[in-house]
Amino acid sequence: MYSFASDVTVVGGGLAGLAAALELIERKKRVLLLEKSGPDRLGGLARESFGGICLVNTPEQRRLGICDRPSLALQDWLNFAEFENEDWPRQWAEQYVCRSIPEIYEWLQRLKVTFLPIVNWPERGLFVPGNSVPRWHIVWGTGQYLIQQLLSYIGNHRNRDLLEIRYNCDVQSLEVSNG
């Protein structure tokens, strides 16, 4: 059994887990990241992806004459979402479309991640109206480059010593005591 004192434990070293770990060490939190695979798989499926990210009202869209805005993106999202009467998923979607520039686009720029000079349509709209404008931005260098940049940024971070990564951890449950 392994023990490590941390402020936060992150389960999974995919794109979301790595991004969370980075944000936490930037806030000077001690982070334990548990990854089920070895170091060669750090980054998860994003490492193998084409690197597409849905973004709203980006410089790339504006340069191409694509008029996008959060309210339009939210309406398009709601065409597909099956939120029913659930409030949290809708609030999350609203925040995503309203904050995709500062929280995703500008965050990726800090990591030196850029996009191809085209914006694509995601695969939606077979049975109901889909996205009304192109929003699918492809990372220059695909998901492999995105993960490489993220890992490099983490590796060179001033608070890197606050992050402990443990590989080959098959997390079945978490036990919390004393809060």
Side-chain angles (χ1 to χ4, degrees), residues 10-14 33-45 165-172:
V10 176
V11 178
L33 176 69
L34 303 175
E35 168 55 35
K36 70 178 177 180
S37 301
D40 60 320
R41 299 288 304 147
L42 200 56
L45 293 176
I165 302 175
R166 288 289 166 177
Y167 299 99
N168 303 309
C169 293
D170 186 13
V171 176
Q172 297 296 319

Side-chain angles (χ1 to χ4, degrees), residues 6-168:
S6 66
D7 297 312
V8 179
T9 299
V10 176
V11 178
L15 179 56
L18 291 172
L22 174 56
E23 291 295 308
L24 289 161
I25 66 172
E26 284 189 348
R27 288 165 178 75
K28 299 183 179 171
K29 301 291 183 186
R30 289 181 49 81
V31 179
L32 173 61
L33 176 69
L34 303 175
E35 168 55 35
K36 70 178 177 180
S37 301
D40 60 320
R41 299 288 304 147
L42 200 56
L45 293 176
R47 178 182 287 276
E48 301 168 13
S49 76
F50 195 54
I53 301 172
C54 179
L55 298 167
V56 179
N57 195 25
T58 64
E60 288 80 3
Q61 286 174 303
R62 291 190 299 274
R63 185 180 45 76
L64 294 168
I66 299 168
C67 184
D68 199 7
R69 60 192 186 284
S71 60
L72 178 62
L74 181 61
Q75 186 55 55
D76 288 345
W77 194 328
L78 294 176
N79 286 338
F80 284 93
E82 295 178 1
F83 294 151
E84 297 169 12
N85 292 325
E86 299 177 56
D87 196 39
W88 282 111
R90 182 187 170 99
Q91 287 180 28
W92 189 90
E94 289 173 6
Q95 288 300 309
Y96 186 96
V97 298
C98 289
R99 304 214 29 91
S100 72
I101 295 296
E103 300 291 336
I104 302 169
Y105 187 88
E106 291 172 1
W107 186 84
L108 289 171
Q109 283 186 320
R110 283 191 355 237
L111 302 177
K112 307 289 189 247
V113 172
T114 58
F115 297 96
L116 294 177
I118 58 170
V119 181
N120 295 298
W121 294 88
E123 309 95 12
R124 296 238 160 92
L126 186 57
F127 300 109
V128 295
N131 285 298
S132 54
V133 299
R135 294 190 180 99
W136 203 244
H137 295 67
I138 306 299
V139 170
W140 193 274
T142 70
Q144 176 76 22
Y145 181 77
L146 170 61
I147 295 301
Q148 287 172 349
Q149 288 301 101
L150 182 53
L151 291 174
S152 175
Y153 196 85
I154 290 170
N156 295 315
H157 197 279
R158 67 188 178 281
N159 297 331
R160 171 59 181 92
D161 61 325
L162 296 174
L163 174 62
E164 175 78 18
I165 302 175
R166 288 289 166 177
Y167 299 99
N168 303 309

